[in-house]
Amino acid sequence: SYGGLVVGHNNTISGPRSAVTGGQANIASGEASSVSGGGWNKASGVGSSVSGGTTNEAYGVASAVTGGADNVADGSFSDVSGGIYNDAYGYSSTVNGGDGNEAYGDFSVVNAGKDNEAVGDWSTVIGGKNNKATQDYSVGDNETSVDNSAVNDGHRNKVTWSTVPTP
């Protein structure tokens, strides 16, 4: 026997060593996955967890969603910390709250705001609304589409092309 724990109302565990410790209609199907309350949450990745909220999903290996609603942690080691309609798709990507934010790149981060996207690997969006960091190592507070670029303030700014001088 692999063991497991289920508490609450109409909760389900199907993964070995998985647990649901409260709430209702939660599912822990990944091995060693857990859901800690809330409702209609799913933890299906190995070692994944959802800590409350509603209709949150942790699919990636060791991924986590910490509350909020309709959030998804799909990448391995990804996490979403609250908010609503946020998605962390990239490996070790993070969305720290907000509404409708997406972290696609590996190691990418979106720090709150609304409808922001961190697309490049190691890219960051600091917040605001409708901002994108589309290239690797970029910081988008409006839109950046060049490696190693940054826009840190203002409205509707863009970095789309740059050159590095040769010695």
Side-chain angles (χ1 to χ4, degrees), residues 77-165:
F77 307 102
S78 65
D79 69 281
V80 176
S81 299
I84 186 167
Y85 304 121
N86 296 309
D87 299 300
Y89 297 109
Y91 178 89
S92 198
S93 61
T94 299
V95 176
N96 292 316
D99 178 357
N101 296 309
E102 298 175 326
Y104 292 103
D106 293 346
F107 307 101
S108 62
V109 177
V110 176
N111 287 317
K114 181 171 175 51
D115 299 324
N116 296 307
E117 296 178 28
V119 179
D121 292 345
W122 297 281
S123 64
T124 301
V125 175
I126 301 169
K129 183 177 179 184
N130 295 319
N131 297 309
K132 291 183 182 181
T134 59
Q135 296 297 309
D136 293 351
Y137 309 102
S138 61
V139 177
D141 198 19
N142 284 276
E143 182 174 350
T144 59
S145 55
V146 178
D147 288 354
N148 304 308
S149 61
V151 173
N152 291 316
D153 202 1
H155 180 70
R156 293 189 181 175
N157 295 310
K158 264 186 195 181
V159 176
T160 59
W161 181 81
S162 68
T163 61
V164 177

Side-chain angles (χ1 to χ4, degrees), residues 23-39:
Q24 67 178 0
N26 294 307
I27 299 170
S29 59
E31 182 176 349
S33 64
S34 67
V35 177
S36 303

